[in-house]
Amino acid sequence: MKRFVLSVVAAMVTAMSVSAENYEVASPNGKVKVTVETSQTTRWSVSYDGKMVLLPSEIGIKAKLGKKTLTLGKVGKVSKKTVRSRFQTPFYKKAAVQDEYGQMLLYTNQKWVIEVRAYDDGAAYRLVSSASQPLEVENETAEFCMSDDYTAFIPYVNDNRSGERYCYSFESYYDEQSLSEMYADSLAITPLALCLPGGMKAIVMDAGVENYPGMMLVKGDGNTLKAEFAPYPLEQEIGGYDRLNLIPTKRADYIARIDAKQALPWRAVVITEKDADILNCDMAQRLAPACRIADTSWIKPGKVAWDWWNNLNITGVDFASGMNTDTYLYYIDFAAKNQLEYIIIDEGWSGKESLMDDLNPDIDLPRLIAYGKQKGVGIILWSSWRNLIGSNPTGDMAVTDAVMKHYADMGIKGFKVDFFDRDDQQVIASAYKVAACAASHHLYLDYHGLKPFGIQRAYPNIFNFEGVKGLENSKWEPRVGDGPLHDQPRYDVTAPYLRMLAGPMDYTPGAMSNALKDSFFGNNDHPMSQGTRVHQMAMYTVFEAPLQMLADSPTKYMQNQECTDFIAQIPTTFDETIAIDGQLGEYIVIARRKGTVWYVAAMTNWTPRELTLSLDFLNSGIHKADIFADGTNAHKEATDYRHIRKDVSSTDRIQLHLSSGGGWTAIFR
């Protein structure tokens, strides 16, 4: 993807005195100001429209250069400029991203550069090594100090693999509590939101992570969040769920070994006046490394029929459904009939310890690949991360390359790579290596047990990331009292503001069995969703995923064909996004355009809502509207919906009724 630099203005480089203590840079519109203080420790602070968002918060590093210890040091030369640029994003929620910011570079006397950016919607900094040799980073200090005991949406780390502190799937519900109530012994993942006065939000996140661990957060002194990083793994063993993980058993006393002149990840704070603006924020994309695939014409996003969630439950056929050739021939027929680009063959096609040996004899892959090609349907295979890399994350990629070449030559389109469940330096580096190897063989990837961290722009053949409490959790959700333990509809209108801010999420929507609180129960073999049918249908527009799943069974979709016909039409990447309305944890209204067609959706939590949708985003003239809305009785029967077709114009306003746990979705042509 080619980068277009429109202009760079107001550039100046000045040699400032080392005794200078405060340095400031402002965003292009002047609202966001970042100040770096260097009197004793180095600290940064951020204000928005004259109001303090981030109080002075420490920035620091401790690294080894041979026997010498390097800290951040004192600032000498400083340079500033305003950048106005734009880059193309064909596999994203919009076709291009504006990248405009005030930049400040502070050069220290201990071989570090502090790079600071002030955007109109937030601020970020990163440390860049100017050393000509590799460094061993013992620790990095990153603080986020708030002026008050704000309420926060906190995704805590839990369900650790084999009890290892930093081994986790990155799937968390959000605890809504004040900073003072944070659990002092618990890690939190990012993005993490803070509720500021007047409806503003500050969201802490990292971005552009490469050859370095991801940032987690812990409770600091007062109203402070502090970064914590997984130490480098020295020894590991096979373990975790069903022995699918590589579990570190010994970690080093350092967090990373970095290359000469390497840039560390960004530490960022997104700032919004109203919650809907979060839904269209491009901070993660702006701070990610640029695309490294010269020719991306082979990358084809699309929708995929998924087997695992629905337990391969198909009926009305003359064969036994399961992990066998006949079942997947049927899935290919279903995908072709509904113009879905792919199917996934999930866990069970290969052996437990290899992707090349001990394959399932009931699955004839060559036959399925040939049949899929005939029908225009590609096949994606499931794999554990450790099997794909040969249980050697620091290896030379020989196993990975052999596996990928073998299956690419057969005609497989990609791999769903599962159970990373870590983001220490070793795993981050491996994720990049796997992506590069896959790209060399024109293979797509779907990363599970990992949240996006910028690699998706560098390697857009990575379509999805899990790291989300998606639909799979309904299979084992317990009941407590008169309803499910977790409030899934509230999560459904929280994750798009926070988890999705980091990048696409493999939520795997599309349940055709839907239930309200009083009738929902977890069932592994016959799962259902919390909320209404149209709540699920709206997810196809709201949730970003270049490879979007249809999680239910072909039988269920054929029994509900008009719903299937609708969701099959919704693209998985877009040319334009408009965040119309919404409130974190409450509801969402969003519009996305592909070509000349608009796709609009709304979702709510368990609270019913009456909303008004202005169609002023449409061009002039008459448009055909295809609408699915919660039915009159959706408050009693979650599958109830209304299907409406009518003519509309840009001057019209539509009244939306969202039932409890409900949704609304439409296509305007």
Side-chain angles (χ1 to χ4, degrees), residues 90-109:
F91 309 108
Y92 188 50
K93 62 187 174 187
K94 57 187 67 171
V97 167
Q98 297 295 126
D99 194 16
E100 302 182 353
Y101 53 91
Q103 176 183 281
M104 179 168 62
L105 301 177
L106 299 95
Y107 299 83
T108 79
N109 63 354

Side-chain angles (χ1 to χ4, degrees), residues 346-451:
D346 214 285
E347 182 182 9
W349 68 273
S350 66
K352 284 287 187 182
E353 302 298 325
S354 173
L355 300 177
M356 303 285 274
D357 301 319
D358 192 28
L359 304 186
N360 186 337
D362 295 329
I363 295 178
D364 186 344
L365 269 183
R367 181 183 174 191
L368 291 171
I369 293 166
Y371 190 67
K373 185 176 181 181
Q374 176 188 336
K375 293 284 189 172
V377 176
I379 296 175
I380 295 169
L381 299 175
W382 179 92
S383 166
S384 69
W385 169 60
R386 75 169 179 87
N387 276 350
L388 188 60
I389 62 169
S391 298
N392 184 11
T394 60
D396 61 3
M397 301 300 290
V399 171
T400 308
D401 187 68
V403 168
M404 288 188 167
K405 183 181 188 309
H406 174 76
Y407 286 106
D409 289 348
M410 284 180 65
I412 289 297
K413 298 299 183 181
F415 285 92
K416 172 184 169 182
V417 187
D418 209 345
F419 290 93
F420 281 89
D421 292 352
R422 293 157 42 193
D423 69 347
D424 51 46
Q425 184 189 25
Q426 192 178 84
V427 170
I428 295 295
S430 177
Y432 274 89
K433 290 178 181 178
V434 169
C437 186
S440 72
H441 295 291
H442 287 193
L443 292 172
Y444 312 135
L445 296 170
D446 177 2
Y447 279 172
H448 275 219
L450 203 60
K451 67 182 180 68

Side-chain angles (χ1 to χ4, degrees), residues 14-26 33-39 42-45 73-80 104-108 114 116:
T14 58
M16 297 188 176
S17 166
V18 171
S19 63
E21 295 182 352
N22 292 339
Y23 310 92
E24 185 177 279
V25 65
K33 293 184 178 179
V34 182
T35 302
V36 178
E37 307 172 15
T38 61
S39 55
T42 301
R43 300 185 296 175
W44 76 313
S45 57
K74 295 182 179 181
V75 173
K77 186 178 72 172
V78 177
S79 68
K80 295 183 184 181
M104 179 168 62
L105 301 177
L106 299 95
Y107 299 83
T108 79
I114 308 171
V116 182

